[in-house]
Coordinates of all heavy atoms in Angstrom, one line a residue:
Chain A
Q5 N 28.4 9.3 -24.5 CA 28.1 7.9 -24.4 C 26.7 7.6 -24.7 O 26.3 6.5 -25.1 CB 28.4 7.4 -23.0 CG 29.8 7.7 -22.6 CD 30.1 7.2 -21.2 OE1 29.6 6.2 -20.8 NE2 31.0 7.8 -20.4
I6 N 25.8 8.5 -24.4 CA 24.4 8.2 -24.4 C 23.7 9.1 -25.4 O 24.0 10.3 -25.5 CB 23.8 8.4 -23.0 CG1 22.2 8.2 -23.0 CG2 24.1 9.7 -22.3 CD1 21.6 8.2 -21.6
V11 N 17.1 7.6 -26.5 CA 16.7 6.9 -25.3 C 15.4 7.5 -24.7 O 14.5 6.8 -24.3 CB 17.8 6.9 -24.2 CG1 17.3 6.2 -22.9 CG2 19.0 6.2 -24.7
A15 N 11.7 5.7 -24.0 CA 11.0 5.9 -22.7 C 9.7 6.7 -22.8 O 9.1 7.0 -21.8 CB 11.9 6.5 -21.6
R16 N 9.3 7.0 -24.0 CA 8.1 7.7 -24.3 C 8.1 9.0 -23.5 O 7.2 9.3 -22.7 CB 6.9 6.9 -23.9 CG 6.7 5.7 -24.8 CD 6.3 6.0 -26.2 NE 6.1 4.8 -27.0 CZ 7.0 4.2 -27.7 NH1 8.3 4.6 -27.7 NH2 6.7 3.1 -28.4
L17 N 9.2 9.8 -23.7 CA 9.3 11.2 -23.1 C 9.6 12.2 -24.2 O 10.7 12.1 -24.8 CB 10.5 11.2 -22.1 CG 10.3 10.7 -20.7 CD1 11.6 10.7 -20.0 CD2 9.3 11.6 -19.9
E18 N 8.7 13.1 -24.5 CA 9.0 14.2 -25.4 C 9.9 15.1 -24.7 O 9.6 15.5 -23.6 CB 7.7 14.9 -25.8 CG 7.0 14.4 -27.0 CD 5.8 15.3 -27.4 OE1 5.7 16.4 -26.9 OE2 5.0 14.8 -28.2
L19 N 11.0 15.5 -25.3 CA 11.9 16.5 -24.7 C 12.0 17.8 -25.5 O 12.0 17.7 -26.7 CB 13.3 15.9 -24.5 CG 13.5 14.8 -23.6 CD1 15.0 14.4 -23.5 CD2 13.0 15.0 -22.2
E22 N 16.0 22.3 -25.4 CA 16.8 22.9 -24.3 C 17.0 21.8 -23.2 O 18.1 21.7 -22.7 CB 16.1 24.1 -23.8 CG 16.6 24.7 -22.5 CD 15.4 25.1 -21.6 OE1 14.3 25.3 -22.1 OE2 15.7 25.3 -20.4
E23 N 15.9 21.1 -23.0 CA 16.0 20.0 -21.9 C 16.9 18.9 -22.4 O 17.7 18.3 -21.6 CB 14.6 19.5 -21.7 CG 14.3 19.0 -20.4 CD 12.8 18.7 -20.2 OE1 12.0 18.4 -21.2 OE2 12.3 18.8 -19.0
L26 N 20.5 19.9 -22.0 CA 20.8 19.9 -20.6 C 21.1 18.5 -20.1 O 22.1 18.2 -19.5 CB 19.7 20.6 -19.8 CG 19.9 20.6 -18.2 CD1 20.9 21.7 -17.8 CD2 18.5 20.9 -17.6
F27 N 20.2 17.6 -20.4 CA 20.3 16.2 -20.0 C 21.5 15.6 -20.6 O 22.2 14.7 -20.0 CB 19.1 15.4 -20.3 CG 17.8 15.7 -19.5 CD1 16.6 15.2 -19.8 CD2 17.9 16.6 -18.4 CE1 15.5 15.5 -19.1 CE2 16.8 16.9 -17.6 CZ 15.6 16.4 -18.0
Q30 N 24.5 16.5 -18.6 CA 24.5 16.0 -17.2 C 24.6 14.5 -17.2 O 25.4 13.9 -16.4 CB 23.1 16.4 -16.5 CG 23.0 17.8 -16.2 CD 21.6 18.2 -15.8 OE1 20.6 17.6 -16.2 NE2 21.6 19.3 -15.0
L31 N 24.0 13.8 -18.2 CA 24.1 12.3 -18.2 C 25.4 11.9 -18.6 O 25.9 10.8 -18.2 CB 22.9 11.7 -19.0 CG 21.6 11.9 -18.3 CD1 20.4 11.6 -19.3 CD2 21.4 11.1 -17.1
I34 N 27.5 12.1 -15.5 CA 27.1 11.0 -14.6 C 27.7 9.7 -15.1 O 28.4 9.0 -14.3 CB 25.6 11.0 -14.4 CG1 25.1 12.2 -13.7 CG2 25.2 9.7 -13.7 CD1 23.6 12.4 -13.7
L35 N 27.5 9.4 -16.4 CA 28.0 8.1 -16.9 C 29.5 8.1 -16.9 O 30.1 7.0 -16.6 CB 27.5 7.9 -18.3 CG 26.0 7.5 -18.3 CD1 25.4 7.6 -19.7 CD2 25.8 6.1 -17.7
Y37 N 31.4 9.3 -14.6 CA 31.7 9.0 -13.2 C 31.4 7.5 -12.9 O 32.2 6.8 -12.2 CB 30.9 9.9 -12.2 CG 31.1 9.5 -10.8 CD1 32.3 10.0 -10.1 CD2 30.3 8.7 -10.1 CE1 32.5 9.7 -8.8 CE2 30.5 8.3 -8.7 CZ 31.7 8.8 -8.1 OH 31.9 8.5 -6.8
F38 N 30.4 7.0 -13.5 CA 30.0 5.6 -13.3 C 30.9 4.6 -14.0 O 30.8 3.4 -13.8 CB 28.5 5.4 -13.9 CG 27.5 6.0 -13.0 CD1 27.7 6.8 -11.9 CD2 26.1 5.7 -13.3 CE1 26.7 7.4 -11.1 CE2 25.1 6.2 -12.5 CZ 25.4 7.1 -11.4
E39 N 31.8 5.1 -14.8 CA 32.8 4.2 -15.5 C 33.5 3.3 -14.5 O 33.9 2.2 -14.8 CB 33.9 5.1 -16.2 CG 33.4 5.5 -17.6 CD 33.1 4.3 -18.5 OE1 34.0 3.5 -18.7 OE2 32.0 4.2 -19.0
R40 N 33.6 3.8 -13.2 CA 34.4 3.0 -12.2 C 33.8 1.7 -12.0 O 34.5 0.7 -11.6 CB 34.5 3.8 -10.9 CG 33.2 4.3 -10.3 CD 33.4 4.9 -8.9 NE 34.1 6.1 -9.0 CZ 34.6 6.8 -8.0 NH1 34.5 6.2 -6.8 NH2 35.3 7.9 -8.1
I41 N 32.5 1.5 -12.2 CA 32.0 0.1 -12.0 C 32.3 -0.8 -13.2 O 32.2 -2.0 -13.1 CB 30.5 0.0 -11.6 CG1 29.6 0.0 -12.8 CG2 30.1 1.1 -10.6 CD1 28.3 -0.7 -12.5
R42 N 32.8 -0.2 -14.3 CA 33.2 -1.1 -15.4 C 34.6 -1.5 -15.3 O 35.1 -2.3 -16.1 CB 32.9 -0.3 -16.7 CG 31.4 0.0 -16.9 CD 31.2 0.9 -18.1 NE 31.2 0.1 -19.3 CZ 31.0 0.7 -20.5 NH1 30.7 2.0 -20.6 NH2 31.0 0.0 -21.6
V44 N 35.8 -2.8 -12.4 CA 36.0 -3.8 -11.3 C 35.8 -5.2 -11.9 O 34.9 -5.4 -12.8 CB 35.2 -3.5 -10.1 CG1 34.0 -2.7 -10.4 CG2 34.7 -4.6 -9.3
V46 N 34.2 -8.6 -12.1 CA 33.0 -9.2 -11.6 C 32.7 -10.6 -12.1 O 31.7 -11.2 -11.9 CB 31.7 -8.3 -11.8 CG1 31.8 -7.0 -11.0 CG2 31.6 -8.0 -13.3
V49 N 31.0 -13.5 -10.2 CA 30.2 -13.0 -9.1 C 28.7 -13.1 -9.6 O 28.4 -12.6 -10.6 CB 30.5 -11.6 -8.8 CG1 29.7 -11.0 -7.6 CG2 32.0 -11.4 -8.4
E50 N 27.9 -13.7 -8.8 CA 26.5 -13.8 -9.2 C 25.8 -12.5 -8.9 O 26.2 -11.8 -8.0 CB 25.8 -15.0 -8.4 CG 25.4 -14.7 -7.0 CD 26.5 -14.9 -6.0 OE1 27.7 -15.0 -6.4 OE2 26.2 -15.0 -4.8
P51 N 24.8 -12.2 -9.8 CA 24.1 -10.9 -9.6 C 23.2 -10.9 -8.4 O 22.6 -12.0 -8.1 CB 23.4 -10.7 -10.9 CG 23.2 -12.1 -11.5 CD 24.4 -12.9 -10.9
T52 N 22.9 -9.8 -7.7 CA 21.9 -9.7 -6.7 C 20.7 -8.9 -7.3 O 20.9 -7.7 -7.6 CB 22.4 -9.0 -5.5 OG1 23.5 -9.8 -4.9 CG2 21.3 -8.8 -4.4
A53 N 19.6 -9.5 -7.4 CA 18.4 -8.8 -7.9 C 17.6 -8.3 -6.7 O 16.9 -7.3 -6.7 CB 17.5 -9.7 -8.8
H54 N 17.8 -9.1 -5.6 CA 17.0 -8.9 -4.4 C 17.9 -9.4 -3.2 O 18.6 -10.4 -3.3 CB 15.8 -9.8 -4.5 CG 14.5 -9.1 -4.4 ND1 13.9 -8.9 -3.2 CD2 13.9 -8.4 -5.3 CE1 12.8 -8.2 -3.4 NE2 12.8 -7.8 -4.7
T55 N 17.9 -8.6 -2.1 CA 18.8 -9.0 -1.0 C 18.3 -10.3 -0.3 O 19.0 -11.0 0.3 CB 18.9 -7.9 0.0 OG1 17.6 -7.5 0.4 CG2 19.7 -6.8 -0.6
R56 N 17.0 -10.5 -0.3 CA 16.4 -11.7 0.3 C 15.6 -12.4 -0.8 O 14.4 -12.3 -0.8 CB 15.6 -11.4 1.5 CG 16.3 -10.7 2.6 CD 15.7 -11.1 3.9 NE 16.7 -11.4 4.9 CZ 16.5 -12.1 5.9 NH1 15.3 -12.6 6.2 NH2 17.5 -12.3 6.8
V58 N 13.2 -14.4 -2.7 CA 12.1 -15.3 -2.4 C 11.5 -15.8 -3.7 O 11.4 -15.0 -4.6 CB 11.0 -14.6 -1.5 CG1 11.3 -14.6 -0.1 CG2 10.7 -13.2 -2.0
V61 N 6.2 -17.5 -4.4 CA 5.4 -17.3 -3.2 C 3.9 -17.7 -3.6 O 3.3 -17.0 -4.4 CB 5.5 -15.9 -2.7 CG1 4.6 -15.7 -1.5 CG2 6.9 -15.5 -2.4
F71 N -11.6 -4.0 -6.4 CA -12.3 -2.7 -6.7 C -13.4 -3.0 -7.7 O -13.2 -3.8 -8.6 CB -11.3 -1.7 -7.4 CG -10.3 -1.2 -6.5 CD1 -9.0 -1.0 -7.0 CD2 -10.5 -1.0 -5.2 CE1 -8.0 -0.5 -6.2 CE2 -9.5 -0.5 -4.3 CZ -8.3 -0.2 -4.8
V75 N -15.1 2.1 -9.0 CA -13.9 2.6 -8.2 C -12.7 2.7 -9.0 O -11.9 3.7 -9.0 CB -13.7 1.8 -6.9 CG1 -12.4 2.2 -6.2 CG2 -14.9 1.9 -6.0
N79 N -10.5 7.4 -11.0 CA -9.3 8.3 -11.2 C -9.0 8.5 -12.6 O -8.0 9.2 -13.0 CB -8.1 7.8 -10.4 CG -8.2 8.0 -8.9 OD1 -8.3 9.2 -8.5 ND2 -8.1 7.0 -8.1
A80 N -9.7 7.9 -13.5 CA -9.4 7.9 -14.9 C -9.6 9.3 -15.5 O -10.6 10.0 -15.2 CB -10.2 6.9 -15.7
P81 N -8.7 9.8 -16.4 CA -8.9 11.1 -17.0 C -10.1 11.1 -17.9 O -10.7 12.1 -18.1 CB -7.6 11.4 -17.8 CG -6.6 10.3 -17.4 CD -7.4 9.2 -16.7
S82 N -10.4 9.9 -18.5 CA -11.5 9.9 -19.4 C -12.1 8.4 -19.4 O -11.3 7.5 -19.6 CB -11.1 10.3 -20.8 OG -12.2 10.1 -21.7
F88 N -11.9 2.7 -20.0 CA -11.0 3.8 -20.1 C -11.1 4.3 -21.6 O -11.0 3.5 -22.5 CB -9.5 3.4 -19.8 CG -9.3 3.0 -18.4 CD1 -9.1 1.6 -18.1 CD2 -9.2 3.9 -17.4 CE1 -8.9 1.2 -16.8 CE2 -8.9 3.5 -16.1 CZ -8.8 2.2 -15.8
I89 N -11.1 5.6 -21.8 CA -11.1 6.1 -23.1 C -9.8 6.7 -23.5 O -9.2 7.5 -22.8 CB -12.2 7.3 -23.2 CG1 -13.6 6.8 -22.8 CG2 -12.2 7.9 -24.6 CD1 -14.1 5.7 -23.6
V90 N -9.3 6.3 -24.7 CA -8.0 6.8 -25.3 C -8.3 7.1 -26.7 O -9.3 6.7 -27.3 CB -6.9 5.7 -25.2 CG1 -6.5 5.5 -23.7 CG2 -7.2 4.4 -25.9
P91 N -7.3 7.9 -27.3 CA -7.5 8.1 -28.8 C -7.5 6.8 -29.6 O -7.0 5.8 -29.1 CB -6.3 8.9 -29.1 CG -5.8 9.5 -27.9 CD -6.2 8.6 -26.8
I93 N -6.9 3.7 -31.6 CA -5.6 2.9 -31.8 C -5.7 1.9 -32.9 O -4.7 1.4 -33.3 CB -5.1 2.2 -30.5 CG1 -6.2 1.3 -29.9 CG2 -4.6 3.2 -29.5 CD1 -5.7 0.5 -28.8
Chain B
G99 N -5.0 15.1 -9.3 CA -6.4 14.7 -9.2 C -6.6 13.2 -8.8 O -7.7 12.8 -8.6
Y100 N -5.5 12.5 -8.4 CA -5.6 11.2 -8.0 C -6.0 11.1 -6.5 O -5.4 11.7 -5.7 CB -4.3 10.4 -8.2 CG -4.3 9.0 -7.7 CD1 -4.8 7.9 -8.4 CD2 -3.7 8.7 -6.4 CE1 -4.8 6.7 -7.9 CE2 -3.7 7.4 -5.9 CZ -4.2 6.4 -6.7 OH -4.2 5.1 -6.1
T101 N -7.0 10.3 -6.3 CA -7.4 10.1 -4.9 C -7.3 8.6 -4.6 O -7.7 7.8 -5.4 CB -8.9 10.5 -4.7 OG1 -9.1 11.8 -5.0 CG2 -9.4 10.3 -3.2
Y196 N 14.8 -4.4 4.6 CA 14.0 -4.7 3.4 C 13.1 -5.9 3.7 O 13.6 -7.0 4.1 CB 14.8 -4.9 2.2 CG 14.0 -5.1 1.0 CD1 13.6 -4.0 0.2 CD2 13.6 -6.4 0.5 CE1 12.8 -4.2 -0.9 CE2 12.8 -6.5 -0.6 CZ 12.4 -5.4 -1.3 OH 11.6 -5.6 -2.4
S210 N 13.3 -3.1 -5.5 CA 14.2 -4.0 -4.7 C 14.9 -3.2 -3.6 O 15.7 -3.8 -2.8 CB 15.2 -4.7 -5.6 OG 16.3 -3.9 -5.9
R234 N 4.4 -9.8 8.1 CA 4.0 -10.3 6.8 C 2.7 -9.8 6.3 O 1.7 -9.7 7.0 CB 4.0 -11.9 6.9 CG 3.4 -12.6 5.8 CD 4.4 -13.1 4.9 NE 3.7 -13.7 3.7 CZ 4.1 -13.4 2.4 NH1 5.1 -12.6 2.2 NH2 3.5 -14.0 1.4
T240 N 7.2 -9.9 -1.2 CA 8.6 -9.7 -0.6 C 8.6 -9.4 0.9 O 9.7 -9.2 1.4 CB 9.4 -8.6 -1.4 OG1 8.7 -7.4 -1.1 CG2 9.5 -8.8 -2.9
A304 N 33.3 2.7 -2.5 CA 33.4 3.7 -3.6 C 32.6 3.4 -4.8 O 32.4 4.2 -5.7 CB 34.9 3.9 -4.0
P308 N 27.5 4.6 -8.0 CA 27.1 4.2 -9.4 C 26.2 2.9 -9.3 O 25.2 2.8 -10.1 CB 28.4 3.9 -10.1 CG 29.5 4.1 -9.1 CD 28.9 4.8 -7.9
Y311 N 22.6 4.1 -8.3 CA 21.9 4.9 -9.2 C 21.5 4.1 -10.5 O 20.5 4.3 -11.1 CB 22.6 6.2 -9.5 CG 22.2 7.2 -8.5 CD1 23.0 7.4 -7.4 CD2 21.0 7.9 -8.5 CE1 22.7 8.3 -6.4 CE2 20.6 8.8 -7.5 CZ 21.5 9.0 -6.4 OH 21.1 9.8 -5.4
L312 N 22.4 3.1 -10.9 CA 22.0 2.3 -12.0 C 20.9 1.4 -11.7 O 19.9 1.3 -12.5 CB 23.3 1.5 -12.5 CG 24.3 2.3 -13.2 CD1 25.6 1.6 -13.3 CD2 23.8 2.8 -14.6
G327 N -1.1 8.5 -18.7 CA -2.3 9.3 -19.0 C -3.5 8.5 -19.3 O -4.5 9.1 -19.8
V328 N -3.5 7.2 -19.0 CA -4.7 6.4 -19.4 C -5.6 6.1 -18.1 O -6.8 6.4 -18.1 CB -4.3 5.1 -20.1 CG1 -5.5 4.2 -20.3 CG2 -3.6 5.4 -21.4
R329 N -5.0 5.6 -17.1 CA -5.8 5.1 -16.0 C -6.0 6.0 -14.9 O -7.0 5.9 -14.1 CB -5.2 3.7 -15.5 CG -5.5 2.6 -16.5 CD -4.5 1.5 -16.3 NE -3.1 2.1 -16.5 CZ -2.0 1.4 -16.2 NH1 -2.1 0.3 -15.5 NH2 -0.8 2.0 -16.4
Y330 N -5.0 6.9 -14.6 CA -5.2 7.9 -13.5 C -4.3 9.1 -13.8 O -3.4 9.0 -14.6 CB -4.9 7.2 -12.2 CG -3.8 6.2 -12.2 CD1 -2.5 6.5 -12.5 CD2 -4.2 4.8 -11.9 CE1 -1.5 5.5 -12.5 CE2 -3.2 3.8 -11.9 CZ -1.9 4.2 -12.2 OH -0.9 3.2 -12.2
G331 N -4.6 10.1 -13.0 CA -3.7 11.3 -13.0 C -3.9 12.2 -14.2 O -4.9 12.2 -14.9
R333 N -3.5 14.0 -17.9 CA -3.5 13.6 -19.3 C -3.3 14.9 -20.1 O -4.1 15.9 -19.9 CB -4.8 12.9 -19.7 CG -4.9 12.7 -21.2 CD -6.2 12.1 -21.6 NE -6.2 10.6 -21.2 CZ -7.2 9.8 -21.7 NH1 -8.1 10.2 -22.6 NH2 -7.2 8.6 -21.4
A337 N -4.2 15.2 -27.5 CA -3.3 14.3 -28.3 C -4.1 13.5 -29.3 O -5.1 12.9 -28.9 CB -2.6 13.4 -27.3
A338 N -3.6 13.5 -30.5 CA -4.4 12.8 -31.6 C -4.2 11.3 -31.6 O -5.0 10.6 -32.1 CB -4.0 13.4 -32.9
V340 N -2.2 7.6 -29.6 CA -1.9 7.1 -28.3 C -0.4 7.4 -27.9 O -0.1 7.7 -26.8 CB -2.2 5.6 -28.2 CG1 -1.6 5.0 -27.0 CG2 -3.7 5.5 -28.1
S345 N 3.7 10.1 -24.6 CA 5.0 10.8 -24.4 C 4.8 12.3 -24.1 O 5.6 12.9 -23.4 CB 5.9 10.6 -25.7 OG 5.1 10.9 -26.8
R346 N 3.7 12.9 -24.5 CA 3.4 14.3 -24.1 C 2.9 14.4 -22.7 O 3.3 15.3 -21.9 CB 2.5 15.0 -25.1 CG 2.5 16.5 -25.0 CD 1.9 17.1 -26.2 NE 2.6 16.9 -27.4 CZ 2.1 17.0 -28.7 NH1 0.9 17.3 -28.8 NH2 2.9 16.7 -29.7
R348 N 3.7 12.4 -20.3 CA 4.9 12.2 -19.4 C 5.8 13.4 -19.5 O 6.4 13.8 -18.5 CB 5.6 10.9 -19.9 CG 4.8 9.7 -19.5 CD 5.2 8.5 -20.4 NE 6.5 8.0 -20.1 CZ 6.9 7.3 -19.1 NH1 6.0 6.9 -18.2 NH2 8.2 6.8 -19.0
A349 N 5.9 14.1 -20.6 CA 6.8 15.3 -20.8 C 6.2 16.4 -19.9 O 7.0 17.1 -19.2 CB 6.8 15.7 -22.2
R354 N 12.1 17.4 -13.9 CA 13.4 17.1 -14.5 C 14.2 16.0 -13.9 O 14.7 15.1 -14.6 CB 14.3 18.4 -14.5 CG 14.0 19.3 -15.6 CD 15.0 20.4 -15.7 NE 14.7 21.2 -16.8 CZ 15.1 22.5 -17.0 NH1 15.9 23.0 -16.0 NH2 14.8 23.2 -18.0
K357 N 12.7 12.7 -15.1 CA 13.0 12.5 -16.5 C 14.5 12.0 -16.6 O 14.7 11.0 -17.3 CB 12.8 13.7 -17.3 CG 11.4 14.1 -17.5 CD 11.3 15.4 -18.3 CE 9.8 15.9 -18.4 NZ 9.7 17.2 -19.0
R358 N 15.4 12.7 -15.9 CA 16.8 12.2 -16.0 C 16.9 10.8 -15.5 O 17.6 10.0 -16.2 CB 17.6 13.1 -15.0 CG 18.3 14.3 -15.6 CD 19.4 14.8 -14.7 NE 18.8 15.4 -13.5 CZ 18.4 16.7 -13.4 NH1 18.6 17.5 -14.4 NH2 17.9 17.2 -12.3
I360 N 14.6 8.4 -15.5 CA 14.0 7.5 -16.4 C 14.9 7.2 -17.6 O 15.1 6.1 -18.1 CB 12.6 8.0 -16.9 CG1 11.6 7.9 -15.7 CG2 12.1 7.2 -18.1 CD1 10.2 8.6 -16.0
I361 N 15.5 8.3 -18.1 CA 16.4 8.2 -19.3 C 17.6 7.3 -18.9 O 18.0 6.4 -19.6 CB 16.8 9.6 -19.8 CG1 15.6 10.3 -20.4 CG2 17.9 9.5 -20.9 CD1 15.8 11.7 -20.7
T364 N 16.5 3.7 -18.5 CA 16.1 3.1 -19.8 C 17.4 2.8 -20.5 O 17.6 1.7 -21.1 CB 15.3 4.1 -20.6 OG1 14.1 4.4 -19.8 CG2 14.8 3.5 -21.9
Y365 N 18.4 3.7 -20.5 CA 19.7 3.4 -21.1 C 20.4 2.2 -20.5 O 20.9 1.3 -21.2 CB 20.6 4.7 -20.9 CG 22.0 4.6 -21.5 CD1 22.2 4.4 -22.8 CD2 23.1 4.6 -20.6 CE1 23.5 4.4 -23.3 CE2 24.4 4.5 -21.1 CZ 24.6 4.4 -22.5 OH 25.8 4.3 -23.0
E374 N 26.6 -4.4 -19.5 CA 27.6 -3.5 -19.1 C 27.2 -2.6 -17.9 O 28.1 -2.2 -17.1 CB 28.1 -2.6 -20.2 CG 29.1 -3.2 -21.1 CD 30.3 -3.7 -20.3 OE1 31.1 -2.8 -19.8 OE2 30.5 -4.9 -20.1
Y375 N 26.0 -2.2 -17.8 CA 25.5 -1.3 -16.8 C 24.7 -2.1 -15.7 O 25.1 -2.3 -14.6 CB 24.8 -0.1 -17.3 CG 25.7 0.9 -18.0 CD1 25.7 1.0 -19.3 CD2 26.6 1.6 -17.2 CE1 26.6 2.0 -19.9 CE2 27.4 2.6 -17.8 CZ 27.4 2.7 -19.1 OH 28.3 3.6 -19.7
R378 N 26.2 -5.5 -14.5 CA 27.4 -5.2 -13.7 C 27.0 -4.7 -12.3 O 27.5 -5.1 -11.3 CB 28.3 -4.2 -14.3 CG 29.5 -4.8 -15.0 CD 30.3 -3.8 -15.7 NE 31.4 -4.5 -16.3 CZ 32.5 -4.9 -15.7 NH1 32.7 -4.5 -14.4 NH2 33.4 -5.6 -16.3
Q380 N 24.4 -5.2 -10.7 CA 23.8 -6.2 -9.9 C 24.9 -7.1 -9.3 O 24.8 -7.6 -8.2 CB 22.9 -7.1 -10.7 CG 21.5 -6.5 -11.0 CD 20.6 -7.5 -11.5 OE1 20.9 -8.2 -12.5 NE2 19.4 -7.6 -11.0
R381 N 26.0 -7.3 -10.1 CA 27.1 -8.1 -9.5 C 27.9 -7.3 -8.5 O 28.3 -7.9 -7.5 CB 28.0 -8.5 -10.7 CG 27.4 -9.5 -11.6 CD 28.2 -9.9 -12.8 NE 27.4 -10.3 -13.9 CZ 26.9 -11.5 -14.1 NH1 27.2 -12.4 -13.2 NH2 26.0 -11.8 -15.0
R383 N 26.6 -5.2 -6.6 CA 25.7 -5.2 -5.5 C 26.0 -6.4 -4.6 O 26.0 -6.3 -3.3 CB 24.2 -5.2 -5.9 CG 23.2 -5.1 -4.8 CD 21.8 -5.1 -5.3 NE 20.9 -4.9 -4.2 CZ 19.6 -4.8 -4.4 NH1 19.0 -4.9 -5.5 NH2 18.8 -4.6 -3.3
T384 N 26.3 -7.5 -5.2 CA 26.7 -8.7 -4.5 C 28.0 -8.5 -3.7 O 28.1 -8.9 -2.5 CB 26.9 -9.9 -5.4 OG1 25.7 -10.1 -6.2 CG2 27.3 -11.2 -4.7
R387 N 27.2 -6.3 -0.7 CA 26.5 -7.2 0.3 C 27.4 -8.0 1.1 O 27.4 -8.1 2.3 CB 25.5 -8.0 -0.5 CG 24.2 -8.3 0.3 CD 23.3 -9.2 -0.5 NE 23.9 -10.6 -0.6 CZ 23.7 -11.5 -1.5 NH1 22.8 -11.2 -2.5 NH2 24.2 -12.7 -1.4
R388 N 28.4 -8.6 0.4 CA 29.4 -9.5 1.0 C 30.3 -8.7 2.0 O 30.7 -9.2 3.0 CB 30.3 -10.2 0.0 CG 29.5 -11.3 -0.7 CD 30.5 -12.0 -1.6 NE 29.8 -12.9 -2.6 CZ 30.3 -13.3 -3.8 NH1 31.6 -12.8 -4.1 NH2 29.7 -14.0 -4.5
E417 N 20.5 21.6 -10.1 CA 20.9 21.3 -11.4 C 22.3 20.8 -11.5 O 23.1 21.0 -12.5 CB 20.6 22.5 -12.4 CG 19.2 22.6 -12.8 CD 18.6 21.4 -13.5 OE1 19.4 20.6 -14.0 OE2 17.4 21.2 -13.5
L424 N 26.3 12.2 -5.0 CA 27.4 11.9 -4.2 C 27.2 12.1 -2.7 O 27.8 11.5 -1.8 CB 28.7 12.6 -4.6 CG 29.2 12.3 -6.0 CD1 30.3 13.2 -6.4 CD2 29.5 10.9 -6.2
L434 N 21.2 -1.2 -0.7 CA 21.7 -2.2 -1.6 C 21.9 -3.6 -0.9 O 21.7 -4.6 -1.5 CB 23.1 -1.8 -2.2 CG 23.0 -0.6 -3.2 CD1 24.4 -0.1 -3.4 CD2 22.3 -1.0 -4.5
A435 N 22.3 -3.6 0.3 CA 22.5 -4.8 1.1 C 21.3 -5.3 1.9 O 21.4 -6.3 2.5 CB 23.8 -4.6 2.0
G436 N 20.2 -4.6 1.9 CA 19.0 -5.0 2.6 C 19.2 -4.9 4.1 O 18.6 -5.7 4.8

Side-chain angles (χ1 to χ4, degrees):
Chain A
Q5 304 183 31
I6 175 174
V11 178
R16 298 290 181 269
L17 275 175
E18 271 188 11
L19 294 184
E22 169 221 341
E23 209 170 28
L26 177 75
F27 290 170
Q30 290 171 334
L31 291 168
I34 290 166
L35 285 167
Y37 179 81
F38 286 8
E39 277 301 300
R40 56 174 65 195
I41 86 154
R42 297 170 82 177
V44 26
V46 292
V49 180
E50 77 278 14
T52 296
H54 238 264
T55 52
R56 296 212 137 201
V58 278
V61 180
F71 293 143
V75 172
N79 282 304
S82 176
F88 294 105
I89 301 298
V90 293
I93 52 171
Chain B
Y100 174 81
T101 301
Y196 183 83
S210 80
R234 167 97 188 132
T240 63
Y311 277 95
L312 286 167
V328 174
R329 287 156 300 165
Y330 33 66
R333 170 185 287 194
V340 167
S345 48
R346 197 165 295 159
R348 290 159 65 77
R354 276 190 180 160
K357 289 179 188 171
R358 263 193 294 271
I360 289 175
I361 293 169
T364 303
Y365 178 66
E374 272 309 284
Y375 285 109
R378 259 179 181 274
Q380 285 191 312
R381 289 174 209 279
R383 186 175 184 182
T384 303
R387 215 184 67 202
R388 286 184 193 158
E417 280 306 336
L424 295 176
L434 289 169

